[in-house]
Amino acid sequence: MPANGVCSVGLEVIEDNATYASGSDSAGVSEDEDVQQLFVSGADRVTSVLPKKSDIRKASQVDEQAAAAAAAAVSEKRYASLPNREQHQQFLTQFLTEVLNSAVFNATDRANKVLNWVDPEELQRTLDLALKDEPDTHEKLLELTRATIRHSVKTGHPYFMNQLFSSVDPYGFAGQVLTDALNPSVYTYEVSPVFVLMEEVVLREMRTIVGYPDGEGDGIFAPGGSMANGYAISCARHKFMPDIKTKGLHALPRLVIFTSEDAHYSVKKLASFMGIGSDNVYAIKTDNVGKIRVEHLESEILRAKSEGALPFMVSATAGTTVIGAFDPLEQIADLCAKYNLWMHVDAAWGGGALMSKKYRTLLKGIERSDSVTWNPHKLLAAPQQCSTLLTRHRNILAEAHSTNATYLFQKDKFYDTRYDTGDKHIQCGRRADVLKFWFMWRAKGTAGFEAHIDKVFENAEHFTSSIKARPGFEMVIEQPECTNVCFWYVPPGLRGVPRDSAEYRDRLHKVAPKVKERMMKDGSMMITYQPIHDKPNFFRLVLQNSSLDKSDMNYIIDEIERLGKDL
């Protein structure tokens, strides 16, 4: 079945021959679609077989009222949540074919757009989002599927480099589909036997890669890096003040956390959420390449102690969100040992570099940490979301969070209940985020992940050297550590303006937003921008898609120049 002339994907249909229409906007079912339905109702197991529409039309003894009644009978069973081969196979086959063609293969083709920009007011008017009393037909649902894909940003496109995630990894996608088909909740062995064991295997291997001896410790899959950082705060607080679990904040002195002024906002947000307070997150100054100033960190620890507060945690960063800086982990570990502080490393972004022998030295000292946040959905390009919290301390997650609910975590089960791992999570119901990552790991091997990391760093290095040699491009950080490349584009009309003038700064601040507007309206690519500290807006290219090559790096440079040369 052709789809937009780019890719054809066929899925086998068992028993029924489905008729497909070509083209992403065409109808998906034939005129004589078989509406024969099989309904199974509870213990009665009543089977009701409806005739084909074509048979209804041809048989003189069946009039239009009977056909309408048959259609109504089909609609009445739409509420049932059980897949039925006769009712759903053709629809699901068409649906999955549309997804594969339009949302996977066409959406990641360089010849197609990253997005089709529509102003929000117009999209609200034209997109059929209203909820209705009566069910839609399968054809209408396929039409809505096509519209959803058409108007969504294609984050798997090679030229989507807007956030710290991108690409549609085929094996990660397969694992994601299987996860949704099985629809597990990973809290007890009895309902998720494979995934409970799979999590323990993957988390132990990740702890080994971090450098914890023999991979010992504990870990969880969390709903994003922000929550993983929150788990680290919770574990650190529990280690030093276990009474917090029962007595609450009233039993505690004023607690203080230290983190970089360029750290992810989640440290402040989760400290506020947990009652510590954002004012008690002391921001540590960074140097000119974005790293924590260790001397300022020590002085702030001493200040907190002199104020009568209780410092208990340092949250270092391995790959800051904007600059991609790696804090000096060994020196921070020395201070944490000196002042008896929990050392957490937010390696949500940069943790993937641990998979490479060449680049893992960026995180030297991480093996001395108490906990690590590492998001495979970022630098390793696993599908959203896939985030982990790893710690060297065995059982601390359960000690801090378990409540032993007897309706779920019974201790008198017929199997070893240490495999019921859900009680160490704050969540109860929880997706099997491990499957897509494990599936990728088995498909690529550790060697494949290393090649992936080496490739994206190689692309970043090529892009950096290329823009350094191109007139009008200037680096924010002369030598990026990670695959974040931060730079300004200075249009020809601005190059003669004195650099120290207010005019230069004001005009330069407006260049990146305007170029971003143009690239989105053209649909040619997506790259983000931002200011930091006293610096005007600059572009931040983030590279984690290993399918890109040097010609793509050249395309990005040429496209920015094309879009901004008249500004």
Side-chain angles (χ1 to χ4, degrees):
M1 182 189 86
N4 296 335
V6 179
C7 175
S8 179
V9 178
L11 299 178
E12 180 183 0
V13 184
I14 302 173
E15 297 183 359
D16 292 330
N17 293 322
T19 302
Y20 305 108
S22 63
S24 62
D25 293 320
S26 57
V29 292
S30 69
E31 179 69 19
D32 292 328
E33 177 185 3
D34 187 349
V35 296
Q36 182 174 6
Q37 309 296 331
L38 179 65
F39 299 138
V40 180
S41 177
D44 296 334
R45 304 186 66 80
V46 178
T47 302
S48 172
V49 180
L50 302 178
K52 294 182 179 181
K53 286 182 180 177
S54 56
D55 295 338
I56 294 173
R57 288 195 298 270
K58 293 174 184 176
S60 59
Q61 69 272 26
V62 181
D63 59 14
E64 292 183 359
Q65 288 184 339
V74 173
S75 294
E76 285 174 4
K77 297 299 290 186
R78 277 289 185 88
Y79 66 84
S81 299
L82 186 68
N84 179 290
R85 188 179 298 278
E86 279 71 21
Q87 185 174 359
H88 300 116
Q89 180 163 332
Q90 181 168 312
F91 165 69
L92 289 175
T93 301
Q94 291 175 281
F95 172 81
L96 291 172
T97 300
E98 188 67 58
V99 169
L100 285 173
N101 280 326
S102 300
V104 176
F105 294 111
N106 291 353
T108 58
D109 192 307
R110 286 170 175 79
N112 295 326
K113 291 184 176 183
V114 177
L115 75 159
N116 297 294
W117 175 258
V118 179
D119 288 329
E121 295 79 9
E122 182 183 348
L123 187 59
Q124 216 165 23
R125 287 193 302 270
T126 58
L127 197 60
D128 182 7
L129 297 176
L131 302 176
K132 305 170 183 178
D133 290 335
E134 299 303 319
D136 282 321
T137 64
H138 283 173
E139 173 52 33
K140 178 63 176 177
L141 294 176
L142 292 170
E143 178 188 320
L144 294 172
T145 300
R146 289 188 284 270
T148 299
I149 295 170
R150 184 164 55 250
H151 292 295
S152 292
V153 175
K154 311 307 185 293
T155 61
H157 195 286
Y159 300 145
F160 176 85
M161 298 154 285
N162 203 66
Q163 262 78 42
L164 303 182
F165 72 93
S166 70
S167 78
V168 178
D169 184 272
Y171 303 108
F173 173 76
Q176 187 91 304
V177 170
L178 182 55
T179 300
D180 287 341
L182 294 172
N183 194 32
S185 188
V186 190
Y187 36 51
T188 62
Y189 180 83
E190 65 183 290
V191 296
S192 288
V194 174
F195 302 123
V196 164
L197 299 179
M198 190 181 287
E199 282 190 343
E200 294 307 303
V201 168
V202 171
L203 292 168
R204 175 178 283 274
E205 186 63 22
M206 293 178 78
R207 291 193 298 268
T208 301
I209 291 169
V210 165
Y212 295 155
D214 300 320
E216 287 296 317
D218 206 349
I220 55 174
F221 279 80
S226 292
M227 288 302 299
N229 286 338
Y231 273 111
I233 295 171
S234 179
C235 290
R237 187 173 64 175
H238 182 83
K239 181 176 186 295
F240 292 110
M241 292 143 284
D243 284 350
I244 181 67
K245 185 173 181 180
T246 54
K247 296 180 180 178
L249 297 173
H250 298 289
L252 300 183
R254 182 168 71 88
L255 304 178
V256 175
I257 301 170
F258 307 92
T259 196
S260 160
E261 62 181 341
D262 294 343
H264 194 264
Y265 66 82
S266 59
V267 178
K268 276 193 172 184
K269 180 172 283 192
L270 270 296
S272 175
F273 179 78
M274 295 169 65
I276 293 170
S278 58
D279 285 350
N280 292 314
V281 178
Y282 286 17
I284 308 304
K285 294 177 182 176
T286 55
D287 61 19
N288 59 356
V289 292
K291 298 174 180 287
I292 271 185
R293 294 182 182 272
V294 177
E295 68 280 4
H296 186 236
L297 172 59
E298 184 166 22
S299 70
E300 287 294 273
I301 293 170
L302 295 173
R303 178 170 76 89
K305 293 170 73 73
S306 71
E307 295 168 344
L310 181 62
F312 76 104
M313 178 182 184
V314 176
S315 181
T317 308
T320 56
T321 304
V322 177
I323 300 298
F326 290 78
D327 285 336
L329 301 182
E330 289 190 298
Q331 296 175 62
I332 292 171
D334 290 341
L335 285 182
C336 288
K338 180 177 179 179
Y339 293 104
N340 192 30
L341 305 176
W342 180 286
M343 179 182 172
H344 174 63
V345 181
D346 179 358
W349 172 229
L354 289 166
M355 304 295 277
S356 166
K357 290 185 285 291
K358 181 177 180 180
Y359 295 100
R360 68 169 290 123
T361 55
L362 290 166
L363 298 98
K364 190 177 181 182
I366 196 172
E367 70 281 357
R368 297 174 62 187
S369 66
D370 292 283
S371 60
V372 172
T373 291
W374 179 359
N375 287 9
H377 73 241
K378 291 186 174 174
L379 204 50
L380 292 178
Q384 289 268 32
Q385 62 194 18
C386 191
S387 177
T388 63
L389 185 280
L390 312 168
T391 176
R392 70 188 313 119
H393 301 281
R394 296 185 65 184
N395 302 321
I396 195 166
L397 283 158
E399 291 169 4
H401 305 127
S402 64
T403 56
N404 299 306
T406 55
Y407 59 83
L408 187 59
F409 303 110
Q410 305 94 332
K411 300 304 180 185
D412 55 353
K413 293 180 179 179
F414 64 92
Y415 60 86
D416 187 346
T417 57
R418 67 190 174 93
Y419 293 105
D420 290 354
T421 57
D423 208 14
K424 64 185 177 182
H425 292 257
I426 295 172
Q427 296 167 270
C428 181
R430 189 168 59 84
R431 285 175 54 84
D433 288 329
V434 63
L435 177 54
K436 55 205 168 194
F437 184 42
W438 175 87
F439 207 79
M440 288 174 65
W441 209 327
R442 291 297 295 261
K444 301 167 186 285
T446 304
F449 277 138
E450 180 173 25
H452 164 85
I453 291 296
D454 290 348
K455 179 67 174 184
V456 294
F457 272 87
E458 177 189 321
N459 283 337
E461 289 158 7
H462 176 78
F463 185 89
T464 298
S465 62
S466 296
I467 62 173
K468 283 182 178 181
R470 182 77 70 98
F473 288 85
E474 299 182 8
M475 299 294 296
V476 176
I477 301 296
E478 194 64 22
Q479 197 58 50
E481 285 191 289
C482 199
T483 64
N484 317 41
V485 185
C486 300
F487 61 95
W488 289 285
Y489 172 65
V490 184
L494 189 54
R495 294 172 198 172
V497 178
R499 294 301 181 92
D500 57 355
S501 67
E503 179 191 357
Y504 180 84
R505 179 185 176 83
D506 291 344
R507 287 178 59 184
L508 181 60
H509 191 65
K510 296 174 183 176
V511 170
K514 191 62 181 177
V515 172
K516 176 69 177 287
E517 176 189 346
R518 290 175 174 180
M519 71 172 68
M520 289 189 67
K521 289 183 175 178
D522 283 1
S524 59
M525 61 186 185
M526 281 184 68
I527 299 173
T528 193
Y529 69 88
Q530 65 284 300
I532 191 171
H533 305 312
D534 61 344
K535 293 179 170 61
N537 280 323
F538 55 86
F539 291 104
R540 180 195 62 168
L541 175 70
V542 284
L543 295 167
Q544 69 249 62
N545 188 334
S546 54
S547 69
L548 275 66
D549 54 29
K550 292 179 180 179
S551 65
D552 294 308
M553 300 302 101
N554 297 334
Y555 166 82
I556 295 165
I557 298 168
D558 292 341
E559 184 67 3
I560 289 176
E561 194 168 50
R562 180 185 74 83
L563 294 168
K565 63 184 178 182
D566 64 332
L567 296 175

